[in-house]
Amino acid sequence: MTINVGISACVLGDKVRFDGGHKQNRFVIDELAQYMHFKPVCPEVGIGMPVPRPAIRLLQLPSGEERLVDTKNHEIDHTDKMIAFAEKKISQFDDLCGYVVCAKSPTCGMERVKLHIANNNTVPGGAVGIYTKTLMAKMPWLPIEEDGRLNDPVLRENFVFRVFALNDFYKSVRDNLSIDAFVKFHSRYKLVLMAHSPKAYKSMGPLVANIKDWDLDEFYQVYRQQFMDAIKERASRKNKTNVLMHLQGYFKRSLTKEQKQELNALILSYKEGNQPLLVPLTMIKHYMREYPDPYLQIQTFIDPYPEELKLRYGL
């Protein structure tokens, strides 16, 4: 499996930072690189800046406009060139299923990038890097995450899951655009939607049910955005418990009274935070092998990505 993912070149280990260094991320290199093909981009090098180079920053003008300028000489302004580069580069990204950006960078940061004002103070809350801001505007469905936030097990799992899900969507639907492809894809992700966004779970069912009333190309755009927005919401313990209980219901006629009690106890233990998700899921998967069910066997929630990534160990 090869999934195309964009990445800030310094996060991949390229020595392209302003000081000639890098910010290589070991999780990206050691784990994700086994499944993803990374396409590195350094926007600053992309617009012709050398390595090493003078530091740059985001500056908020009195009008509120944000500009990308030289730290020491605000008259040196890279904004227009950076936006032009970003728009051209992003136009080549149709095959991307995700993007890992460099935190705090005035070009690549995703949030809370220092935004300076003329007196050298900073604006509370910061801003988004110029390049990443353009990327997010042009591709609002794309999973984007900062290198530092990948150290958080919940954020890490959610990002990687979204990358695999978008890749699945492209392989299943984009490459075979049909009503049947949409229906089958949506059926496989029903429990995922239940876990991530019960609201989207309820609203997207009727959307798919009325697919015949849509132009397929238009439906593709609408469905992709709604689906990706829904799974961007982190699946809460409460929602995942509801999914586990829903799964449990499929075995009510197959399990003994003692087996039902044991599975229910594991689900409640997970609900109370005493067990990771993997514990009740492992038992459910065991029962799925003993008592196969066609609907459960296609549910992506059960195995959303390779278990070798060990992303559910801390959930």
Side-chain angles (χ1 to χ4, degrees):
M1 177 186 297
T2 301
I3 304 174
N4 291 318
V5 174
I7 191 169
S8 294
C10 60
V11 176
L12 197 60
D14 294 354
K15 295 180 179 180
V16 293
R17 285 177 58 78
F18 75 98
D19 58 1
H22 64 78
K23 286 189 65 179
Q24 188 179 77
N25 184 286
R26 295 312 312 179
F27 175 66
V28 167
I29 299 299
D30 298 338
E31 305 293 337
L32 295 187
Q34 300 179 55
Y35 307 95
M36 301 177 187
H37 173 63
F38 289 104
K39 297 189 173 185
V41 178
C42 176
E44 293 164 31
V45 171
I47 64 170
M49 299 181 74
V51 180
R53 57 184 172 272
I56 55 177
R57 61 170 51 172
L58 287 177
L59 177 69
Q60 186 181 74
L61 302 182
S63 64
E65 183 183 4
E66 297 172 13
R67 306 296 295 182
L68 184 67
V69 300
D70 186 280
T71 297
K72 294 182 178 180
N73 182 358
H74 295 176
E75 297 299 317
I76 301 176
D77 191 317
H78 305 283
T79 312
D80 295 338
K81 187 179 290 187
M82 182 59 68
I83 291 174
F85 170 80
E87 291 180 346
K88 181 178 180 180
K89 195 70 179 176
I90 293 165
S91 68
Q92 305 166 9
F93 285 167
D94 284 347
D95 62 338
L96 289 194
C97 295
Y99 212 112
V100 181
V101 297
C102 180
K104 301 180 181 179
S105 164
T107 55
C108 294
M110 189 181 80
E111 61 178 24
R112 295 192 294 274
V113 177
K114 283 186 178 181
L115 177 59
H116 298 262
I117 52 180
N119 63 8
N120 214 34
N121 287 331
T122 56
V123 177
V128 179
I130 293 288
Y131 175 84
T132 298
K133 186 176 184 178
T134 307
L135 176 64
M136 294 168 75
K138 295 287 186 181
M139 304 179 73
W141 62 87
L142 188 71
I144 302 174
E145 192 55 271
E146 290 184 336
D147 58 329
R149 284 164 49 102
L150 289 176
N151 294 320
D152 182 304
V154 176
L155 297 178
R156 172 190 294 186
E157 191 275 341
N158 181 257
F159 170 70
V160 174
F161 164 63
R162 286 185 287 139
V163 171
F164 274 89
L166 184 57
N167 180 65
D168 188 6
F169 178 72
Y170 285 159
K171 288 169 56 181
S172 303
V173 178
R174 185 178 66 177
D175 297 343
N176 179 34
L177 198 62
S178 66
I179 292 177
D180 184 59
F182 275 111
V183 171
K184 287 181 177 178
F185 178 86
H186 187 74
S187 296
R188 290 194 287 111
Y189 280 85
K190 282 186 175 180
L191 297 186
V192 164
L193 291 171
M194 187 185 295
H196 284 261
S197 176
K199 182 179 178 181
Y201 172 78
K202 292 178 181 178
S203 66
M204 293 187 71
L207 177 71
V208 175
N210 294 317
I211 189 172
K212 292 181 180 179
D213 298 334
W214 289 73
D215 171 79
L216 271 189
D217 290 325
E218 183 182 357
F219 187 86
Y220 173 88
Q221 302 293 335
V222 171
Y223 183 92
R224 177 177 62 179
Q225 190 64 58
Q226 288 193 21
F227 175 73
M228 296 307 296
D229 285 344
I231 64 174
K232 187 176 182 179
E233 296 184 31
R234 281 168 260 171
S236 68
R237 187 175 293 269
K238 176 183 176 182
N239 288 346
K240 286 184 283 190
T241 298
N242 289 339
V243 171
L244 292 172
M245 290 181 170
H246 184 79
L247 289 167
Q248 181 185 34
Y250 280 83
F251 303 105
K252 61 184 179 182
R253 295 176 180 171
S254 304
L255 305 183
T256 66
K257 180 180 178 181
E258 291 75 19
Q259 288 173 322
K260 292 176 184 177
Q261 290 175 340
E262 182 182 19
L263 178 54
N264 190 61
L266 288 179
I267 293 174
L268 292 179
S269 183
Y270 164 73
K271 179 182 180 181
E272 293 166 3
N274 300 323
Q275 301 277 5
L277 179 64
L278 277 177
V279 174
L281 258 185
T282 298
M283 180 163 283
I284 286 172
K285 290 167 76 171
H286 167 71
Y287 289 138
M288 284 175 60
R289 289 190 292 270
E290 280 199 51
Y291 311 105
D293 181 279
Y295 176 74
L296 295 189
Q297 288 174 326
I298 66 169
Q299 289 306 306
T300 305
F301 178 84
I302 307 295
D303 289 301
Y305 36 68
E307 63 177 10
E308 289 80 8
L309 286 169
K310 302 177 183 178
L311 295 173
R312 279 179 160 173
Y313 280 40
L315 302 181

